[in-house]
Amino acid sequence: MSPRLAKAKVSSTDFMEIGSSGLAQNGGEIREEFLRQLQGKQAYANYREMADNDPVIGAMLTAIEMIVRSVDWSVEPADSADENAVREAEFISGCLNDMSTSWPDFLATVMGFLVYGYSYHEIIYKYRRGRSDDPRTNSRFNDGRIGWRKIPVRNQESIERWELDSNGGIQGAYQLDTYSSNRGLVYLPIGKCLLFRTTSKMNNPEGRSVLRNAYVPWYYKRRIQEIEAIGVERDLAGMPVAYVPPQLLSNAATSEERAALEAIKQIVRNIKRDEQEGIVFPLAYDPETKQPAYDLKLLSTGGQRQFNTNDIIARYDQRIAMTVLADFLLLGHEQVGTQALSVSKIELFVRSIDAYLSEIAEVFNSHAIPRLMRLNGISPELAPYLSYTPPKNIDLDAIAKFVQVLAQSGAALFPDQDLENYLRGLAGLPVGNAEEV
């Protein structure tokens, strides 16, 4: 029997928070980012451009959203043997499907935290008093209980600053909707909202965008694409070269001659092969050389450039996709990579999505559901929890080979009905029951 340890003396500081998170912020404005282009409202503008304009980033985000929408969600009772707990689980499940926005659409708005780093949602409640024209009481249920009316997102670009306590705890956010001038600066307390973040490092309320590491390759890729487009246009149209009288280039040129020179420069800069092409030059000859005083030529270049822009852009595309583990999207386009490699990459990608789904479920289980239970005067011990079926990357070929090996070894797989139904489900086939012959 081990000797009993002496009870440690309790200090008053043991129950105090002395330090802080160390988050770089000034007056509620987060200052963690060191790139100027990714600070404040400029960051949201750049991330939005990346998500809306770049095809690779758009494909990544669409793949994530489609997988999230396909996940099955359920509400599990705190104790399946307790009738009251089961009843409360049914109540929460009904609330999820009784909002003005469907659950899949709500998840789609929450997934905006991938682009911006966080998603801040205000909870709007209602009394469940049956069908009515009043949105504060309109419901599929008529039990008089309080449910969720909607949980709309508050645009990240409208969040002015955060309210943080002395230790870095999040108290709320200040919103300024410039499109609703009559509102002014509105305070949204954290107790009435849900905050979804990609990461809670240093309790940063703004999280960290999954596109953060993709910004540098995206920036250079965009620049190269612009230069490539200009180069193609110049190669097709030819390099414009204008010949003018030497007097226009001399220091003794008159104001009229300088104006003419500027006009010619503008013509050279704006030459394009389109429906408006055409240039008018004066027909004047140099009295000494008898050559045209004004002339315009388009010089074309032969051969290929020293750098292959296709390879450079493809390299940046791959790096962009790698930042969210979605480089498997490029396997077919690059004409490289094996089936096994593709399965491994997809499996890693799906696992990363599972982490985001876990964050959504955790926010509901820790905040949304307990608050709703308190508003209805229900004991927190009966609070159910939101769960989901993790997304899986099923390699049917590998499973078929595995089952074949087991069958050849003499393992009795069927008539195990549960196993058969599981395998049928993986292949998207209808399941049977034990009574079927």
Side-chain angles (χ1 to χ4, degrees):
M1 184 175 180
S2 60
R4 185 180 181 86
L5 296 177
K7 186 176 181 180
K9 184 178 180 180
V10 179
S11 171
S12 60
T13 59
D14 290 340
F15 300 92
M16 297 171 57
E17 188 171 358
I18 300 175
S20 65
S21 63
L23 180 68
Q25 59 92 19
N26 182 20
E29 296 182 4
I30 310 301
R31 303 294 187 185
E32 278 295 317
E33 180 56 59
F34 62 88
L35 280 182
R36 178 179 55 83
Q37 300 91 329
L38 298 180
Q39 294 175 358
K41 300 296 180 64
Q42 184 62 37
Y44 300 141
N46 283 327
Y47 286 141
R48 183 175 181 180
E49 181 181 356
M50 294 171 68
D52 291 345
N53 281 355
D54 191 278
V56 174
I57 294 177
M60 297 183 324
L61 297 176
T62 300
I64 294 175
E65 181 179 341
M66 292 300 102
I67 293 177
V68 170
R69 281 178 172 270
S70 65
V71 169
D72 293 327
W73 294 79
S74 61
V75 179
E76 304 298 332
D79 184 359
S80 57
D82 188 334
E83 293 184 1
N84 292 327
V86 173
R87 188 180 304 111
E88 295 307 321
E90 294 174 350
F91 165 68
I92 294 297
S93 179
C95 289
L96 290 176
N97 295 286
D98 192 35
M99 297 190 293
S100 58
T101 302
S102 68
W103 178 249
D105 288 341
F106 168 74
L107 289 177
T109 60
V110 171
M111 297 311 291
F113 75 160
L114 298 178
V115 176
Y116 299 104
Y118 74 98
S119 189
Y120 202 55
H121 295 250
E122 181 182 359
I123 305 176
I124 314 297
Y125 298 98
K126 66 179 178 182
Y127 286 101
R128 309 200 315 176
R129 293 175 179 168
R131 296 297 186 184
S132 69
D133 295 331
D134 189 348
R136 296 172 297 179
T137 59
N138 181 41
S139 173
R140 296 165 48 198
F141 306 92
N142 192 19
D143 52 15
R145 300 185 69 176
I146 298 176
W148 293 310
R149 173 183 161 192
K150 57 181 178 179
I151 312 178
V153 65
R154 297 307 176 218
N155 189 352
Q156 290 84 350
E157 298 183 42
S158 68
I159 301 298
E160 286 291 303
R161 66 180 189 273
W162 298 89
E163 182 71 22
L164 306 174
D165 61 27
S166 58
N167 301 111
I170 304 170
Q171 303 301 309
Y174 289 92
Q175 181 192 33
L176 181 60
D177 186 356
T178 57
Y179 298 101
S180 181
S181 57
N182 60 329
R183 290 180 179 270
L185 194 64
V186 178
Y187 179 62
L188 303 173
I190 192 67
K192 194 179 184 300
C193 300
L194 297 178
L195 177 61
F196 302 93
R197 296 175 287 179
T198 56
T199 176
S200 58
K201 182 180 179 182
M202 290 188 292
N203 203 27
N204 185 348
E206 296 183 354
R208 189 174 190 269
S209 170
V210 298
L211 303 181
R212 172 58 184 86
N213 290 339
Y215 176 75
V216 172
W218 170 81
Y219 174 81
Y220 286 113
K221 169 190 168 183
R222 186 185 62 169
R223 292 283 304 275
I224 292 173
Q225 286 177 321
E226 293 174 352
I227 295 172
E228 180 186 55
I230 295 173
V232 169
E233 182 185 37
R234 286 305 187 192
D235 274 355
L236 292 176
M239 174 67 72
V241 178
Y243 297 92
V244 299
Q247 178 62 24
L248 271 64
L249 302 173
S250 68
N251 294 330
T254 65
S255 58
E256 291 80 3
E257 290 172 336
R258 286 195 295 269
L261 179 62
E262 286 301 319
I264 294 173
K265 288 182 178 179
Q266 190 67 24
I267 290 174
V268 171
R269 284 192 293 263
N270 293 340
I271 284 182
K272 297 180 182 294
R273 298 303 306 269
D274 53 29
E275 66 276 6
Q276 299 185 25
E277 66 178 338
I279 300 171
V280 177
F281 260 17
L283 183 60
Y285 293 90
D286 187 284
E288 297 181 359
T289 63
K290 307 301 181 182
Q291 298 295 321
Y294 295 89
D295 196 5
L296 180 68
K297 294 182 178 180
L298 297 176
L299 302 182
S300 60
T301 57
Q304 295 182 345
R305 294 288 185 257
Q306 183 177 0
F307 300 102
N308 188 330
T309 55
N310 284 337
D311 292 343
I312 298 174
I313 292 175
R315 184 183 73 204
Y316 284 132
D317 279 341
Q318 185 180 43
R319 292 183 177 181
I320 290 173
M322 286 173 57
T323 58
V324 292
L325 307 176
D327 48 323
F328 66 90
L329 293 172
L330 304 175
L331 287 178
H333 299 280
E334 298 171 352
Q335 298 181 350
V336 295
T338 63
Q339 173 68 17
L341 179 61
S342 174
V343 172
S344 299
K345 287 179 176 289
I346 296 176
E347 178 66 24
L348 190 59
F349 175 71
V350 170
R351 286 182 179 273
S352 68
I353 296 178
D354 183 36
Y356 299 133
L357 294 172
S358 177
E359 166 67 13
I360 296 174
E362 178 60 27
V363 170
F364 263 85
N365 293 331
S366 299
H367 304 287
I369 294 178
R371 292 175 193 169
L372 187 58
M373 299 292 286
R374 288 195 298 268
L375 289 177
N376 285 281
I378 305 300
S379 171
E381 296 179 356
L382 297 177
Y385 61 92
L386 184 65
S387 65
Y388 62 94
T389 303
K392 296 180 180 180
N393 175 38
I394 306 300
D395 185 0
L396 293 178
D397 183 60
I399 293 177
K401 292 179 179 179
F402 175 67
V403 172
Q404 182 181 16
V405 171
L406 289 179
Q408 292 175 349
S409 66
L413 296 177
F414 306 106
D416 187 332
Q417 194 64 45
D418 292 336
L419 177 58
E420 180 179 349
N421 288 339
Y422 175 75
L423 295 176
R424 284 172 174 262
L426 293 180
L429 299 175
V431 299
N433 56 64
E435 297 179 357
E436 293 180 345
V437 179

